[in-house]
Structure formats: C-alpha cells, structure tokens
C-alpha cells in the first residue's frame, strides 16, 4: 500500500520468532539498532523471506527459485533485476545464466500467496510468545531455565506440548538436543520458530528477566483458568459444606493471583 502511494519502503528483518518488543527486551536498544541498520528495500526483503521459508540444501530450493523469480519480475529496472538474480544465484547455488534463462522463458505470473505461518497468525498473542520463549530457553539448556518444570504449563499449541514432553524426557536421559526436534517433527513453522530463538535471542540478563516474565504470565493464565473452574463449581455446589470448601479454595487462588503468583 505504501509503495503504491509512491513511498520508498524499507523493511527491518527481525530474528525468527521475535517482534520489536521482544528484541529490545532480550537484546537491548543496541540489538534493536543493529536490526534497523540491516533494513532492506521491500523487494529484497521478499526474496530474503522466501529464502528463509525453504530448505535450500534440498529439493525445496526449486520452489524457492520459482517464487523468487516471480518476485524479480516486479523489479522496476534491469539493474535491480540483475542484482536480485545475483543474490538468488548465491543463495540457491544456481548459475546466473540459468536464472536469466528461466526468467525470460517463463511467462509472468502473479506470485503464489505467502503461507500463513503460525508466528504471523498469532502476532500480538503474548501468551503464545511466552510459551515459545520458555520452551526455547529450556530446549537450549539456558542456566536460568534449568529448574523450569514444563509439565506445569498447559501449552495451547499441540506441537509445543509435544516439544515440552521431549525436553522433559530428554532431561531425564541427561541431554537435551535442539536438533532432536527435527527427527521428531521435521521442518515446520513451529519448530523453526523455536530453533530461531537460539540464535542469540536467549542470552543475557534481559533474556533472563524476560523468561521470568513469561513464566509468570503462563502461571497467571493457569490461575485464571482454575479460578473460572472453581467459580463455576461454587455456583453448582449442592451443599453448604461443599460450597464453603470451594469458596476457601477460590479465596486462596484469588490471593495468589493478586500477589502476582
């Protein structure tokens, strides 16, 4: 929309699974400035995003080349088109000549719709981000996450729930390996999100503080759910004794919630 209005658009690529707030919390202002310094033109970013979506060491690189070429066709000049082709050539290890031939021989078509990755569908969902960060910290064996019991949380995402089971079982065996997730799940958005956080997004005091905040948020969610269940049970209580017992439990739950867990 901005480009169609004549504006010069640049996009800031962020570490996988993080939004600007997450970057500042975990890496500080300097980390966010580095992200800003890596901003790129919109069309470059679209190719960058396509490259991250595919496994370029497998047959998926053909899909990447196909999607990337559809983006190149939208370039505004031959100079820009040639520069983009060179980047695609380097990323996919395909000769520039072959790319130019494919670009010229294939009719121009609209680029395929981008997939709706989980990270985009749930953008702004702080609780899901909390689940993801807590899981990643445990998966990568961060010292501040060693005592975290993942079984204490009710993960909404089925994949995240299975990852939690994997981490806890691996701890029992004495070794948690992030790479083991690919053996269980293969390459899928949820796993890519978790692995992506291991690239510098889990280290430092800010990350440790953010982890504590995430754990508190998940515990708070669990408490609210227990309060809702207990409240409903109070309303349905058949005897005064049962009602009194439930009210006592409800009072304790409310006290914990008000005290911040």
């Amino acid at each position: 929309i901005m480009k169609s209005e004549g504006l010069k658009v640049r996009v800031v690529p962020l570490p996988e699974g993080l939004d600007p707030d997450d970057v500042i919390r975990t890496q500080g202002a300097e980390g966010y400035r580095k992200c800003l310094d890596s901003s790129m033109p919109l069309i470059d970013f679209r190719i960058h995003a396509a490259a991250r979506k595919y496994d370029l060491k497998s047959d998926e690189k053909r899909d990447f080349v196909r999607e990337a070429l559809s983006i190149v066709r939208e370039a505004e000049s031959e100079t820009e088109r040639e520069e983009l082709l060179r980047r695609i050539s380097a990323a996919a290890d395909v000769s520039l000549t072959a790319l130019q031939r494919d670009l010229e021989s294939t009719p121009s078509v609209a680029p395929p719709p981008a997939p709706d990755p989980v990270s985009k569908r749930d953008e702004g969902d702080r609780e899901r981000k909390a689940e993801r960060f807590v899981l990643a910290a445990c998966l990568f064996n961060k010292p501040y996450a060693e005592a975290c019991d993942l079984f204490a949380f009710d993960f909404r995402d089925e994949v995240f729930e299975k990852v939690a089971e994997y981490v806890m079982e691996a701890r029992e065996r004495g070794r948690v390996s992030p790479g083991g997730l690919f053996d269980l799940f293969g390459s899928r958005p949820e796993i890519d999100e978790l692995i992506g956080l291991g690239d510098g997004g889990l280290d430092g005091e800010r990350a440790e503080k953010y982890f504590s905040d995430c754990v508190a948020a998940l515990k708070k969610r669990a408490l609210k759910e227990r309060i809702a269940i207990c409240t409903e049970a109070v309303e349905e209580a058949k005897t005064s004794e049962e009602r009194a017992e439930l009210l006592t439990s409800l009072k304790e739950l409310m006290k914990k919630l008000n005290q911040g867990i």
Side-chain angles (χ1 to χ4, degrees):
I1 294 174
M2 291 188 289
K3 187 176 180 182
S4 67
E5 292 298 323
L7 297 177
K8 197 168 187 177
V9 182
R10 296 183 70 85
V11 184
V12 178
L14 298 175
E16 189 71 33
L18 299 184
D19 65 14
D21 180 62
D22 295 329
V23 173
I24 294 173
R25 284 172 177 261
T26 59
Q27 301 178 23
E30 184 60 31
Y32 188 56
R33 274 193 289 269
K34 289 180 180 178
C35 291
L36 293 177
D37 292 339
S38 66
S39 67
M40 59 184 72
L42 176 61
I43 195 167
D44 295 61
F45 176 78
R46 289 175 60 194
I47 292 178
H48 168 78
R52 293 173 65 176
K53 190 167 61 178
Y54 297 103
D55 180 5
L56 301 185
K57 294 182 180 179
S58 71
D59 290 340
E60 287 186 9
K61 78 176 181 179
R62 299 172 185 171
D63 298 320
F64 161 67
V65 169
R66 188 180 302 112
E67 181 173 340
L69 289 180
S70 71
I71 296 171
V72 171
R73 291 189 185 95
E74 300 177 36
E76 297 176 350
S77 68
E78 288 297 327
T79 301
E80 183 181 37
R81 192 168 298 171
E82 182 176 344
E83 181 182 344
L84 293 173
L85 286 177
R86 292 186 186 280
R87 294 186 183 181
I88 297 169
S89 174
D93 194 23
V94 177
S95 72
L96 182 60
T97 302
L99 291 174
Q100 290 172 329
R101 186 168 57 246
D102 287 346
L103 185 66
E104 294 168 0
S105 63
T106 306
S108 179
V109 294
D116 187 17
V118 174
S119 59
K120 294 299 181 183
R121 287 201 305 269
D122 296 292
E123 190 171 4
D125 186 342
R126 294 186 179 277
E127 289 182 351
R128 189 177 190 286
K129 290 178 182 177
E131 290 183 351
R132 184 174 57 215
F133 196 89
V134 168
L135 272 180
C138 293
L139 180 65
F140 283 90
N141 303 296
K142 296 304 173 181
Y144 55 78
E146 288 180 353
C148 181
D149 180 8
L150 295 177
F151 287 146
F153 308 120
D154 180 20
F155 292 96
R156 297 292 188 266
D157 189 292
E158 183 179 353
V159 174
F160 281 4
E161 183 179 8
K162 291 181 179 178
V163 171
E165 293 176 0
Y166 163 77
V167 171
M168 296 302 289
E169 290 173 0
R171 279 181 177 176
E172 290 293 324
R173 296 192 298 268
R175 184 173 182 271
V176 181
S177 172
L181 292 184
F182 292 111
D183 296 331
L184 291 175
F185 302 100
S187 179
R188 53 190 302 168
E190 299 93 332
I191 303 304
D192 293 342
E193 288 175 358
L194 291 172
I195 298 299
L197 281 176
D199 187 19
L202 302 171
D203 299 314
E205 293 182 4
R206 289 177 179 271
E208 183 173 356
K209 174 61 168 60
Y210 185 52
F211 175 83
S212 298
D213 292 343
C214 289
V215 168
L218 295 181
K219 288 183 176 179
K220 185 176 181 180
R221 181 180 70 183
L223 266 179
K224 287 182 176 179
E225 291 174 349
R226 290 175 62 190
I227 288 171
I229 293 173
C230 193
T231 300
E232 184 177 348
V234 169
E235 295 174 354
E236 297 177 354
K238 296 180 179 180
T239 66
S240 57
E241 292 81 4
E242 182 183 2
R243 182 181 178 85
E245 185 177 343
L246 288 169
L247 285 172
T248 300
S249 298
L250 182 59
K251 183 177 179 180
E252 287 299 316
L253 291 173
M254 293 295 294
K255 182 178 179 181
K256 288 182 179 181
L257 183 64
N258 293 332
Q259 291 176 344
I261 315 300

